[in-house]
């Protein structure tokens, strides 16, 4: 039995097969299928219907990623296979496809886009809800995708400002003694957010937006008493918030605004004995309409493959201790 998957161009065929056909070989080995190029597209053949359907699903997702993210390569193909569970996982029609391309946050042909099923669901949650919690370990894209969505909302005119914030725990939330203006004081604590911004916007534009307040660096402690309208607000490292801080932050939400709270509840730096506000918020707000909690796991790690192995090793110890 076989299926044919259409291609839009010869260049797309070359991008799909990859260097020395390494992408096609990876799919063939994983799903025990044969892939060949034909004038009408890709001919995918195999003796097992289930594996053939899974291979087609992977190919369609990878082609969609190539069309929106031209530097897609074998590493991202591996992420797709991992997200769909490989050949042994039961396939369901509800499994994800890369449908959001984030074209309006492209910089020099580099496009930010979800690369795993969990990341796709996280991006969809941000699009559909006013408050979203992104919970997961390092490397799962919680901060990066939140910033990509913020830039997308700003470029489309749906918000007028981006406000990244973070509890400056290392400075004891007392930043006055640090040298420089507010941007310079907070820069070390907001570095991950800035790294994401510089991936998506030109440096000159970022500096201009900082000067005019379109991008506003706001320390968490200084947000008390404000109401934030027409803004996309990102609270990073929320596991370092006390319950009082997180309640204060969540009640700053104004009209036509979105809030994304990111954190890893296993990595809190709060002093011993202090309750973690993020844990309390997840318990209290779980059933409120308009608030979505999106959990990312080791399967959503898109950093070096060793990062995923490290996370899995620590998770194994944690499960054993529990």
């Amino acid at each position: 039995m076989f299926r044919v998957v259409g291609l839009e161009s010869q260049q797309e065929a070359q991008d799909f097969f990859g260097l020395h056909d390494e992408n096609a070989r990876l799919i063939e080995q994983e799903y025990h299928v044969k892939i060949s190029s034909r004038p009408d597209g890709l001919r995918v053949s195999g003796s097992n219907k289930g594996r053939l359907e899974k291979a087609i699903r992977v190919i369609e997702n990878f082609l969609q990623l190539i069309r929106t993210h031209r530097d897609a390569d074998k590493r991202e193909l591996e992420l797709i296979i991992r997200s769909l569970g490989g050949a042994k996982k039961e396939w369901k029609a509800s499994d994800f496809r890369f449908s959001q391309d984030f074209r309006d946050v492209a910089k020099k042909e580099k496009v930010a886009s979800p690369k795993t099923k969990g990341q796709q669901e996280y991006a969809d949650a941000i699009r559909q809800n006013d408050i979203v919690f992104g919970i997961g370990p390092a490397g799962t894209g919680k901060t990066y995708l939140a910033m990509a969505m913020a830039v997308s909302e700003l470029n489309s005119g749906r918000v007028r400002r981006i406000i990244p914030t973070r509890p400056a725990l290392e400075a004891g939330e007392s930043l006055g003694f640090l040298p420089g203006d507010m941007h310079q004081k907070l820069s070390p604590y907001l570095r991950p957010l800035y790294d994401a911004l510089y991936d998506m916007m030109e440096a000159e534009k970022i500096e201009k937006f900082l000067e005019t307040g379109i991008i506003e660096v706001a320390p968490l402690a200084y947000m008390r008493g404000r109401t934030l309208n027409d803004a996309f607000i990102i609270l990073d490292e929320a596991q370092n918030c006390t319950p009082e801080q997180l309640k204060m932050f969540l009640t700053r939400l104004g009209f036509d605004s979105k809030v994304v709270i990111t954190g890893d509840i296993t990595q809190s730096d709060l002093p011993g004995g202090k309750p973690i506000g993020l844990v309390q918020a997840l318990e209290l707000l779980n059933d409120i309409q308009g608030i979505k909690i999106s959990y990312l796991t080791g399967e959503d790690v898109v950093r070096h493959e060793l990062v995923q192995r490290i996370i899995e090793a620590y998770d194994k110890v944690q499960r054993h201790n529990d």
Side-chain angles (χ1 to χ4, degrees), residues 36-96:
S36 55
S37 182
R38 294 288 187 269
D40 55 346
L42 298 172
R43 188 180 192 272
V44 188
S45 58
S47 58
N48 183 289
K49 182 179 179 181
R51 288 186 173 182
L52 177 61
E53 291 298 323
K54 292 175 186 178
I56 294 297
R57 189 68 166 174
V58 167
I59 291 169
E60 289 176 341
N61 276 281
F62 189 47
L63 286 173
Q64 181 67 17
L65 192 58
I66 287 171
R67 289 162 187 163
T68 59
H69 194 71
R70 278 293 306 279
D71 56 352
D73 55 19
K74 183 181 176 182
R75 180 171 172 271
E76 293 184 301
L77 175 58
E78 289 171 340
L79 287 170
I80 293 173
I81 292 173
R82 194 171 74 204
S83 296
L84 292 177
K88 296 180 180 179
K89 183 180 177 182
E90 181 183 355
W91 178 82
K92 296 180 180 179
S94 60
D95 281 335
F96 84 117

Side-chain angles (χ1 to χ4, degrees), residues 41 119 138 141 157 160 171 257 270:
Q119 288 188 353
R160 293 188 293 108
S257 289
L270 286 170

Side-chain angles (χ1 to χ4, degrees), residues 217-236:
V217 178
L220 181 60
Y222 289 17
M223 297 185 71
R224 191 177 302 276
R226 302 181 63 186
T227 299
L228 304 173
N229 298 315
D230 300 305
F232 196 115
I233 310 109
I234 301 170
L235 172 59
D236 195 34

Side-chain angles (χ1 to χ4, degrees), residues 230-265:
D230 300 305
F232 196 115
I233 310 109
I234 301 170
L235 172 59
D236 195 34
E237 298 290 332
Q239 74 273 6
N240 291 328
C241 292
T242 64
E244 294 77 16
Q245 288 175 322
L246 201 48
K247 178 184 176 183
M248 178 274 293
F249 172 77
L250 287 167
T251 53
R252 300 308 94 202
L253 178 68
F255 293 107
D256 300 316
S257 289
K258 280 186 179 289
V259 167
V260 178
I261 302 104
T262 70
D264 179 357
I265 57 177

Side-chain angles (χ1 to χ4, degrees), residues 118-314:
Q119 288 188 353
Q120 182 71 64
E121 292 173 347
Y122 177 47
D124 289 342
I126 295 173
R127 194 177 302 110
Q128 297 164 7
N129 298 272
D130 290 337
I131 297 178
V132 173
F133 289 84
I135 310 300
T140 51
K142 350 181 254 300
T143 300
Y144 194 86
L145 282 175
M147 187 60 73
M149 294 296 290
V151 173
S152 175
E153 295 280 295
L154 181 66
N155 287 346
S156 68
R158 288 187 290 269
V159 299
R160 293 188 293 108
R161 294 181 293 166
I162 297 175
I163 304 176
T165 186
R166 192 178 185 185
L169 189 67
E170 297 89 342
E173 292 282 19
S174 298
L175 300 166
F177 67 89
L178 295 175
D181 58 23
M182 187 56 62
H183 168 52
Q184 293 168 327
K185 292 174 190 289
L186 278 175
S187 185
Y189 305 105
L190 295 166
R191 192 72 258 167
L193 295 167
Y194 283 122
D195 288 345
L197 262 179
Y198 281 101
D199 261 2
M200 300 164 199
M201 301 173 69
E202 301 294 340
E204 296 80 5
K205 192 172 186 179
I206 294 173
E207 295 303 320
K208 179 182 177 181
F209 282 176
L210 285 168
E211 290 174 5
T212 58
I214 293 175
I215 297 176
E216 180 185 352
V217 178
L220 181 60
Y222 289 17
M223 297 185 71
R224 191 177 302 276
R226 302 181 63 186
T227 299
L228 304 173
N229 298 315
D230 300 305
F232 196 115
I233 310 109
I234 301 170
L235 172 59
D236 195 34
E237 298 290 332
Q239 74 273 6
N240 291 328
C241 292
T242 64
E244 294 77 16
Q245 288 175 322
L246 201 48
K247 178 184 176 183
M248 178 274 293
F249 172 77
L250 287 167
T251 53
R252 300 308 94 202
L253 178 68
F255 293 107
D256 300 316
S257 289
K258 280 186 179 289
V259 167
V260 178
I261 302 104
T262 70
D264 179 357
I265 57 177
T266 69
Q267 297 294 321
S268 177
D269 295 319
L270 286 170
K274 276 199 172 185
I276 301 174
L278 183 57
V279 172
Q280 183 194 67
L282 296 177
E283 295 172 351
L284 291 176
L285 308 178
N286 185 51
D287 297 323
I288 295 180
Q289 187 173 358
I291 298 178
K292 177 69 175 177
I293 301 172
S294 184
Y295 290 96
L296 298 159
T297 69
E299 291 186 351
D300 301 303
V301 172
V302 292
R303 292 181 181 173
H304 194 288
E305 63 179 16
L306 283 177
V307 175
Q308 185 189 16
R309 295 178 187 174
I310 292 168
I311 292 170
E312 290 171 349
Y314 276 94

